[in-house]
Amino acid sequence: MAAVTSPEASQQARVYFQTPPGSTEEAETPVRKQGRVTVKYDRKELRKRLNLEEWIIDQLTDLYDCEEEAIPELEIDVDELLDMEDDVDRAARVKELLVDCYKPTEEFVAELLNRIRGMQKLSTPQKK
């Protein structure tokens, strides 16, 4: 407990930084609220998506033989891939995005399709 103790302030009320002992006010227990994103989407799905995006970046740096900052501007939209009818269409779309890559991309495409299998789109939240 901190109080103002100067001679001029001795006539004034004390200033408390904490609830004084014996106060009738009960300390409120802080309630942790979930962030909007984790309420709207399943935390596990978000973690899977983040892991997938990190894996994609690692693979692209290997495929293009460069640092992350030097990867050609391309966007592999997982939600777009999940909207497609089948793996043939998905593979064609990813290969289309990687047209500038001089290394073989078949292994990357196959592993990407394997990793997104069973994932859910994040653009439409789950109903609980």
Side-chain angles (χ1 to χ4, degrees), residues 33-46 120 124-128:
K33 293 182 180 180
Q34 279 192 314
R36 287 183 183 169
V37 172
T38 54
V39 169
K40 196 171 183 180
Y41 304 106
D42 182 15
R43 185 180 297 261
K44 187 175 180 183
E45 275 302 312
L46 289 172
Q120 298 172 2
T124 53
Q126 298 176 342
K127 302 265 185 190
K128 287 191 174 187

Side-chain angles (χ1 to χ4, degrees), residues 4-14:
V4 177
T5 59
S6 68
E8 301 89 33
S10 61
Q11 300 298 327
Q12 296 176 350
R14 290 185 174 194

Side-chain angles (χ1 to χ4, degrees), residues 62-88:
D62 289 344
L63 284 173
Y64 285 97
D65 255 348
C66 62
E67 295 298 317
E68 181 179 341
E69 296 80 27
I71 295 173
E73 190 67 35
L74 64 98
E75 182 179 341
I76 298 176
D77 186 349
V78 176
D79 286 336
E80 176 189 357
L81 296 176
L82 291 172
D83 277 340
M84 294 181 173
E85 293 294 319
D86 56 29
D87 281 353
V88 173

Side-chain angles (χ1 to χ4, degrees), residues 60-116:
L60 290 177
T61 56
D62 289 344
L63 284 173
Y64 285 97
D65 255 348
C66 62
E67 295 298 317
E68 181 179 341
E69 296 80 27
I71 295 173
E73 190 67 35
L74 64 98
E75 182 179 341
I76 298 176
D77 186 349
V78 176
D79 286 336
E80 176 189 357
L81 296 176
L82 291 172
D83 277 340
M84 294 181 173
E85 293 294 319
D86 56 29
D87 281 353
V88 173
D89 293 339
R90 291 181 188 108
R93 176 65 181 141
V94 175
K95 287 178 183 178
E96 178 183 311
L97 293 170
L98 300 174
V99 72
D100 295 334
C101 184
Y102 64 90
K103 287 186 175 181
T105 60
E106 290 78 18
E107 190 176 316
F108 167 75
V109 172
E111 183 62 25
L112 176 62
L113 296 180
N114 187 44
R115 287 176 181 251
I116 66 169

